[in-house]
Amino acid sequence: GRILSGMAVPVTPPPTSPMVQHHLTAEVDAVVKQQVAMARLGVGECGTGWQLFAEDGEMRMYRREQEVDGMVVDPLKAVHTVKGITGHEVCHYFFSPQYRYDWETTLEHMNVVETISEDTLVFYQLHKRIWPASQRDVVFWSHIRHLPNDQDRDGPHIWTVVNQSTEHPEYPGCSGKTVRIYLTVCLLCQTIVNPPKDGAPISRNDISCKITYCSVVNPGGWAPASVLRAVYKREYPKFLKRFTAYVINQSKNKPIMF
Ligand code: 18C
């Protein structure tokens, strides 16, 4: 069986697909551009009523209450500033499959279904069950990208990871007792550097990372709104705090990855 509950098995992704232009390439590019543009909008702009629901130090989490066919799909937008790490580092640890079990606490199983290219993978994830709801799973492509700042060559460069639900013939999602989740997630990271005045080399004390995390998750099947919103409220702050602490810890004795 492919399900190894909770075990951190070493991940050996399948080899890169040999096609010149994979059928997902155009979709990936379009969704990434759209998600990055949306993530760059502040929570005050657009007049769309983001409401603050969690706050901890520099971290702020906002949501908009939204339902589709009676199901809660509240969009989430979180902003955070973390000292001592770069946007490249944050995106590297979020994207790479070998670290996922270290920081993703809701995971029961994860595997790479397909390697589209070095920067685009397709994942299958089975998440822990919340009693009494059905267990959830998800298939999504994940893309990591560096966005050079074209307005200001010395300005901050931006890194992003976008995850978007997709279909895969080996994981049909309509069989068995799991319910398929649909998600769109965008992690956008900007490195801020305060160069030391004495011309000394840049150290981790001189850098910080401005993080924006946006997510829309459709639970795929009915779940009580109050339970769902309670899960959101508990899990999203837990994720962002734990994940950023993980990146700080992984990066601290390594050279800065700009
Ligand atoms: O972005 C994040 N992680 C990425 C890499 O894994 C990727 C995947 C996101 C998966 C999100 C869906 C998670 C479903 C979890 C279900 C059970 C969790 C609780 C378990 C407690 C024991 O993009 C970071 C994601 C941070 C996760 C936040 C939680 C979101 C909750 C969404 C609820 C979905 C429906 C749950 C159905 C049960 C309702 C009673």
Side-chain angles (χ1 to χ4, degrees), residues 6 114 232 236:
E114 190 178 351
Y232 268 57
Y236 280 116

Side-chain angles (χ1 to χ4, degrees), residues 94 104 106 125 127-128 136 163 213 227-228 235-236:
F94 187 75
E104 183 61 284
T106 70
Q125 291 190 172
H127 288 269
K128 287 177 183 163
R136 263 49 180 185
N163 294 343
Y213 174 88
V227 177
L228 216 44
E235 295 298 327
Y236 280 116

Side-chain angles (χ1 to χ4, degrees), residues 120-195:
T120 312
L121 304 173
V122 179
F123 288 91
Y124 172 79
Q125 291 190 172
L126 179 66
H127 288 269
K128 287 177 183 163
R129 180 173 178 234
I130 305 175
W131 187 89
S134 305
Q135 193 169 21
R136 263 49 180 185
D137 69 0
V138 61
V139 177
F140 61 92
W141 55 252
S142 185
H143 177 81
I144 185 168
R145 185 177 293 190
H146 175 216
L147 306 164
N149 190 324
D150 42 27
Q151 286 105 36
D152 169 9
R153 282 193 304 121
D154 297 327
H157 285 211
I158 288 170
W159 279 84
T160 190
V161 176
V162 175
N163 294 343
Q164 158 83 43
S165 277
T166 189
E167 278 164 22
H168 196 279
E170 285 168 41
Y171 299 85
C174 51
S175 55
K177 49 185 165 40
T178 59
V179 172
R180 182 62 46 90
I181 276 178
Y182 297 92
L183 60 77
T184 304
V185 166
C186 178
L187 176 73
L188 190 74
C189 300
Q190 188 178 321
T191 308
I192 294 151
V193 182
N194 276 313

